[in-house]
Amino acid sequence: MALALALPAYAEGTLNLYTWSDSIAPELIEKFEAETGIDVNVDGFNSNEDALTKLQAGSSGYDIVTPSQHFVKIMIDEGLLENINAMELAAYAQVDEKWKRQWWDPTNGYSIPLAYGTAGFAVNRDVYEGPIDSWATYFTPPEELKGKVASLSYPDEVVGAAQLFLGVPFCSEDKAEMKKVYDLLMAQKPDVAAYSSDNIENRLGTGEVGAHFWWDGNVLRNRNDGANLAYAMPKEGLVGWLDSFVVPKGAENVEAAKQFIDFMSTEENATIQYNYYAHSSPVKLDLEKAKYTPENAPELFPTVPVEFSKACSPAAQDLVTKVWTDLLQ
């Protein structure tokens, strides 16, 4: 009994995570379960839209979700998240100053960042050996890539990339400007073999397509697994993202969620996560054990401008939705 009373108070029960597919290092899930006795269930999503829809439906059953920055803002504004006083967590002290008090969570009450990076396009060098220094290669593909380009199944970052290429501001409410985006995507459509966010590694890695919209770290991981891929650094810039841990409103195990967030943000565990996930870390790492550098992981160290996706006004978001809906009709 004396031993029991001396132990720190830990959360109990089950922790349900809803994260980007394959984003959390399995060894860290096992380590957390062993250290705490908490059972962890992990479900995956492939788009911010899926995560938002799940929370909007209510009673999601999840204790932690990992949306990108602009969707954190939307979720806060819609009252879908618990204020966990994130600035009081041990994890907060580990966060790089540049990611604190950002526009999506200015009070740092709701979120702790997990990873950040860019969205762009990659090519299979067995299919296409030409230049990849402009979005023109992707949106107006050369002969080798005609019919062999693939996109994601949702508009979020794809429309942003088109806007970068055309010089149209993010969150534009100008119908004429967004018509330019629509016209560009429609002109590209005959060369798009698939609009899909699933099975990208096989579609691109096998050469079924020669170019695919994708994320920096995913390209890195697949290149390290032997795929002959190259991640583009388009002169017009890349679309930036930062994913964070948040707790849905009404979560059943808020204390376990906080404990997991603190656990993932320690220097040791954040380094394990970085080495597994292959996306940049917004929290402190053990640099002697971090395996990715500009020399061996150029995907993670962009040499072109990066513009982070924003939470748009309803009018601007309606235009994005209309562009995408009309495109896929």
Side-chain angles (χ1 to χ4, degrees):
M1 180 177 294
L3 176 62
L5 290 173
L7 290 174
Y10 284 116
E12 299 178 341
T14 299
L15 181 67
N16 296 313
L17 309 184
Y18 193 40
T19 69
W20 289 92
S21 295
D22 302 317
S23 63
I24 305 296
E27 71 175 278
L28 289 178
I29 298 294
E30 295 175 4
K31 183 180 179 183
F32 180 77
E33 290 180 325
E35 289 183 4
T36 66
I38 297 170
D39 294 323
V40 179
N41 299 318
V42 184
D43 288 341
F45 59 83
N46 291 314
S47 77
N48 280 299
E49 288 85 352
D50 288 346
L52 177 62
T53 298
K54 185 77 72 172
L55 267 60
Q56 287 173 329
S59 302
S60 68
Y62 296 113
D63 302 299
I64 288 178
V65 183
T66 59
S68 301
Q69 73 285 346
H70 47 319
F71 278 76
V72 171
K73 170 67 172 168
I74 292 169
M75 290 173 181
I76 292 173
D77 288 349
E78 293 190 10
L80 299 174
L81 302 181
E82 293 282 352
N83 186 334
I84 58 171
N85 295 314
M87 78 295 291
E88 297 178 4
L89 297 179
Y92 186 70
Q94 299 296 106
V95 177
D96 189 305
E97 284 296 321
K98 70 181 178 180
W99 300 118
K100 294 179 178 180
R101 298 173 294 280
Q102 283 282 355
W103 57 264
W104 55 85
D105 185 9
T107 66
N108 286 130
Y110 296 87
S111 63
I112 292 290
L114 163 64
Y116 70 94
T118 60
F121 73 96
V123 297
N124 184 318
R125 283 306 196 188
D126 294 331
V127 177
Y128 174 72
E129 298 179 351
I132 53 173
D133 60 350
S134 171
W135 278 106
T137 302
Y138 181 77
F139 287 119
T140 59
E143 193 62 36
E144 306 97 301
L145 292 175
K146 289 192 176 299
K148 304 206 71 168
V149 171
S151 182
L152 300 180
S153 59
Y154 53 90
D156 185 17
E157 291 158 330
V158 179
V159 168
Q163 290 171 315
L164 288 177
F165 178 51
L166 295 171
V168 173
F170 284 6
C171 295
S172 174
E173 297 182 8
D174 187 322
K175 292 182 179 179
E177 288 185 323
M178 293 307 291
K179 176 67 161 53
K180 294 177 185 177
V181 174
Y182 173 73
D183 289 343
L184 176 70
L185 295 175
M186 277 299 294
Q188 181 202 33
K189 187 174 181 179
D191 294 317
V192 177
Y195 293 93
S196 174
S197 302
D198 301 319
N199 204 32
I200 296 174
E201 59 273 16
N202 289 328
R203 191 178 301 112
L204 182 61
T206 62
E208 177 185 336
V209 299
H212 212 306
F213 202 101
W214 215 6
W215 297 283
D216 52 352
N218 300 68
V219 178
L220 171 60
R221 288 168 66 180
N222 281 267
R223 181 171 63 79
N224 285 341
D225 287 341
N228 190 14
L229 306 184
Y231 189 61
M233 290 290 165
K235 59 188 177 184
E236 302 88 357
L238 292 163
V239 180
W241 56 267
L242 180 138
D243 297 336
S244 293
F245 293 114
V246 298
V247 177
K249 198 77 170 179
E252 293 186 4
N253 209 337
V254 175
E255 290 308 310
K258 292 179 179 180
Q259 192 172 341
F260 184 79
I261 293 168
D262 281 341
F263 168 87
M264 289 293 294
S265 301
T266 67
E267 189 171 300
E268 177 183 349
N269 292 338
T271 305
I272 293 171
Q273 172 66 13
Y274 173 73
N275 290 343
Y276 167 79
Y277 196 28
H279 288 296
S280 298
S281 175
V283 300
K284 295 177 185 176
L285 298 177
D286 181 343
L287 296 181
E288 292 186 357
K289 295 181 179 178
K291 70 180 184 180
Y292 297 119
T293 66
E295 290 71 33
N296 66 22
E299 295 91 341
L300 305 189
F301 300 88
T303 55
V304 297
V306 177
E307 185 164 352
F308 280 72
S309 298
K310 301 174 182 177
C312 299
S313 69
Q317 190 57 51
D318 285 347
L319 286 176
V320 171
T321 301
K322 180 171 175 52
V323 164
W324 199 254
T325 301
D326 289 354
L327 173 69
L328 297 188
Q329 280 183 346

